[in-house]
Amino acid sequence: MRSISALCLFALVSSSFAQADWTRYRLTVRDAIEAQRLSDSDVTLFSDDVVIGSTDVVIGPGEQFKLWALGMPYQRIATLPDPAGWDQRYSNKTLNYRGNYYRYDDIIAQYEEWRIQNPTHVKRFQIGTSILGRPIWAYSVRSNALFSGARRSFVVNCGIHAREWISPAVGMYVFKKTIDSAAIGFADMTTDFSKRAMLRGSTFYFVPVNNPDGYEYCWTNNRMWRKNRRDNPGSSYGVDLNRNFAKGWGGAGSSGNYSSETYRGTAPFSEPESQALVFLENRVPRIDAFIDFHSYGEKILWPWTYTETPPAGSAWLNASSIAMRDAGAATHGHQYTAGQGSTTLYIASGTTKDYFYDRSNAAAYTIELRDTGQNGFLLPEAQISDTQDEAWAMFVALAVRMTNR
Ligand code: 0X9
Ligand code: ZN
């Protein structure tokens, strides 16, 4: 009886209130139980994650029942573009890496062009293969100078989250600027000659897109896709790769539900895309600095993320995050928020930066690029170049500080 009346109620409300649009709603999340319910649900998040207070979600045509099933107060914020068909929307454009988002193949073609133009400074190697068989590449840049000190290395990861398109776009620019800088002995990064010498003895590694399947899925099917494309049991897809790393795996701020946006996978490193970063790590003798570019929120976050306890070495991490923040703000006036990930944003377990800090003692950061929520993941192409400029300034600030850590 109960289920029949629930069904009737559902039929009634879904016909009379069925919405035709993709809509951004703001939920009032009153406590940890509601936060967990939302995290475990298959509702697409517009916010970067669930927080107690308020969290924005995306509700599509015919999905209104999901909003009601959550049982939390909500408020309509805006109509969103249809998440399907972005490949059509952007087709036949002449591409410019300062002003356009690129398909995966076009990103790699651009990296290849730069590699072929700079064969002595740039190398590429395959670090893995995605679930759907796409190669996952890494590119290295070094100046080739004779150097007798300890060689340092800096790893930049892009596109681990599919819909955060500004991340691979920033990666392209930082890569190109690093090649140009290497060609002049890093004279544009610092006036300090001993630091320049150290940079000439350093290698910079770039992963253009860590999650190519998810990235392409955004173009072809769903612009708001976050995870990889793992075929989970029970007709749901995707593992949140930034919950699939070993440090703190399985803890708070991750979910064991297949359909959750923060599904952590069956085990640490269950996914080929996260294994690819381990492959890279094992190939590099030591990793001194690591940045994982995400969006959005304009934040520079240091470990730990899985616990609110600050790590040993947090004073240096914090001072460097402030140096990055100030360098970024000096370009176009956007002052990012710097701080420990768990306390500045939220607790999340099994993330890249905790892993690289734990395993390699790398100065590891998550940088949440633009914006602060006006457009969220749908950052307009007009903001690409300014975001690239501020990210380059942050990267330089960390590279220079890396030389005397
Ligand atoms: O949740 C994440 O994986 C990152 N945010 S995003 O919106 N890009 O998905 C944050 C990762 C680092 N987490 C914390 N510092 N809390
Ligand atoms: Zn992200």
Side-chain angles (χ1 to χ4, degrees), residues 243-250 264-271 274-275:
R243 301 293 182 276
N244 192 235
F245 286 73
K247 183 66 177 170
W249 184 87
R264 62 177 81 104
T266 51
F269 303 118
S270 56
E271 305 310 297
S274 42
Q275 288 164 20

Side-chain angles (χ1 to χ4, degrees), residues 47-49 160-161 163-164 226 240 242-243 253 262 292-296 301-302 304-306 339-348 351-353 366-368 377:
S47 292
D48 50 14
D49 202 0
I160 191 170
H161 282 149
R163 63 193 171 187
E164 298 166 11
R226 168 181 170 92
D240 183 351
N242 207 27
R243 301 293 182 276
T262 51
D292 199 7
F293 281 116
H294 288 250
S295 72
Y296 58 94
L301 305 168
W302 40 268
W304 303 115
T305 286
Y306 80 101
Q340 187 179 348
S342 53
T343 53
T344 308
L345 187 56
Y346 43 70
I347 289 189
T351 63
T352 55
K353 76 165 162 320
T366 304
I367 297 186
E368 299 282 358
F377 305 111

